[in-house]
Amino acid sequence: MSNIEETLIIKSEAEDGSLKGRVWMESKKIWKIAFPAILARMALFGVILLGMSSATETLCGQAFGAGQYHMMGIYLQRSWIVSTSAATIFVPVFIFATQIFKLLGEEDDIATEAGIISLWFIPVLYSTVFSSTMQMFLQSQLKNFVIIWLTVATFAIHVLLSWILVYLLNYGIPGAMVAEEFTQRKEN
C-alpha cells in the first residue's frame, strides 16, 4: 500500500471517528505548529547563542587556569554584549513570524497562532543570553554543583508555575510562555 492510499484510509477513518484516525489528524495538526518551532529553536539557540556561550566558557576557563580572575568578568560582560546584539538581530524574525509562515505557504490560522507564540519567545531569547553565558561562566570555574542546584530549583518552579498558569488558571499557551520566561530569569 502506498503512502497516499494509507493517508486516504486514515483520513476516511478520521471522518468516521475512529481513534486511530483522530489521533493521526491531531498529530498532523500539532506537528505543523511544533516542527517549525522546534527547528527554529534548534537553529537559533544551538548555533548562535549557545555557540557564542561556549566561547565564553573557553575564554573564562583559560583565564581561570591562568589565575587571571579579573578577566573572567570582562569576558562574561563582553559575551553579554555580543550575544544580546545577535539576539536583537533575530527579533524581526519573531515579530514577523506570521508573515514569514504565510509566505512559506502555511495555512493562515496556523501562521497566525505561530506568530502569536513567537512573540512570547522574544523575552525567552534574551533571558537565554544571560542564562547560557552564566552557566558557561560557572562551568569554567568548576562550579557544577551550583548549576545542578539552580537547574533543579528552576525545574521545580517551572513545573509548579506551568501547572498553576496552564491548568489551574486556564491561561493555555500564554501561561506556559509566562512560566518559561519566569523560570529562564530564575536560572540566572
Side-chain angles (χ1 to χ4, degrees), residues 140-153:
S140 68
Q141 301 173 61
L142 304 175
K143 297 188 184 218
N144 295 327
F145 280 105
V146 174
I147 296 169
I148 291 170
W149 286 112
L150 287 174
T151 304
V152 168

Side-chain angles (χ1 to χ4, degrees), residues 46-114:
V47 175
I48 303 300
L49 296 180
L50 294 181
M52 288 192 285
S53 297
S54 67
T56 303
E57 180 182 25
T58 302
L59 291 172
C60 288
Q62 289 175 349
F64 183 76
Q68 297 181 345
Y69 305 116
H70 67 285
M71 289 303 294
M72 293 175 64
I74 293 170
Y75 291 144
L76 179 63
Q77 292 168 2
R78 287 179 183 169
S79 73
W80 286 342
I81 293 168
V82 172
S83 296
T84 301
S85 300
T88 302
I89 291 170
F90 285 104
V91 166
V93 173
F94 290 91
I95 292 173
F96 298 109
T98 300
Q99 292 82 359
I100 292 169
F101 281 126
K102 286 180 181 179
L103 185 65
L104 293 173
E106 192 58 64
E107 296 176 16
D108 286 346
D109 55 341
I110 294 173
T112 302
E113 286 298 317

Side-chain angles (χ1 to χ4, degrees), residues 151-168:
T151 304
V152 168
T154 300
F155 179 72
I157 292 169
H158 180 73
V159 169
L160 178 65
L161 278 177
S162 294
W163 178 74
I164 290 170
L165 293 170
V166 175
Y167 294 107
L168 195 62

